[in-house]
Amino acid sequence: MGDVDVSALIASLQGLQHRASPAAQAAVDGMAEAAETAMRAALSRGPAPSAPGSPPARRSGALRRSVEARPAFQTGPARWEARTYSGIAYARIHEVGGWTGRNHASYLPPRPYVAPTVISMRGVLERIAADTFAREVGL
C-alpha cells in the first residue's frame, strides 16, 4: 500500500463534514415526501364506507388533500427531522378511533392510514434516505 497524503485526506473529510448536514436534510425531505404520496394513495379509495381497521374511505377528499410533508428542520448537529401529517380536525380519530359527535355519543372504530403506510414503507424510506444522502455527499 502506498503512502497516504494526510493533507488530502483531511481536506476530503472536512468536505464530507460540510456536505453531511445538507445531505441529511435532503434525505429526510425525500422520506417525508414519499410518505405523503403513500398516505394520500391510502386515502384514495371510493366513497363506500370502509371497514374498521382499513383506511377511511374518501368522501369529500378533504382528509386526503390535507396530508402534507413539512420541510425538514434541524434538531441537532447534522440531525434533521420532518413530519408528514394531516392538520384536519378528524384525522387523529380516524387513525386511532374514539368517541365523537354530539356529546361524544358515537364511537368511531380505528381506520388507520398513517401507521400501516409507514410500516409498509420502512425499507423504501431507508433506501430513499441512503440513496439521497450518498448522492448529496458525493459518494
Side-chain angles (χ1 to χ4, degrees):
M1 194 187 287
D3 290 334
V4 174
D5 182 348
V6 175
S7 296
L9 177 61
I10 290 171
S12 180
L13 290 174
Q14 286 174 335
L16 179 61
Q17 177 185 11
H18 292 297
R19 293 187 307 273
S21 187
Q25 179 184 12
V28 170
D29 278 333
M31 290 189 299
E33 290 164 8
E36 174 186 325
T37 299
M39 282 183 216
R40 285 182 178 211
L43 293 168
S44 293
R45 292 178 354 107
S50 62
S54 64
R58 181 174 41 86
R59 292 184 65 183
S60 69
L63 179 58
R64 182 175 155 266
R65 286 189 307 273
S66 74
V67 174
E68 66 176 313
R70 288 301 189 102
F73 56 93
Q74 197 161 15
T75 59
R79 191 176 172 96
W80 294 83
E81 196 174 298
R83 302 225 166 92
T84 302
Y85 68 97
S86 168
I88 209 159
Y90 53 83
R92 182 162 169 74
I93 201 159
H94 275 298
E95 182 72 14
V96 299
W99 293 95
T100 187
R102 184 172 288 150
N103 298 320
H104 298 284
S106 299
Y107 180 76
L108 183 67
R111 288 182 171 82
Y113 61 98
V114 175
T117 300
V118 172
I119 290 167
S120 72
M121 292 186 72
R122 274 210 179 119
V124 173
L125 295 174
E126 290 167 1
R127 175 62 28 216
I128 289 169
D131 291 349
T132 304
F133 186 83
R135 183 182 66 248
E136 294 290 322
V137 296
L139 296 179

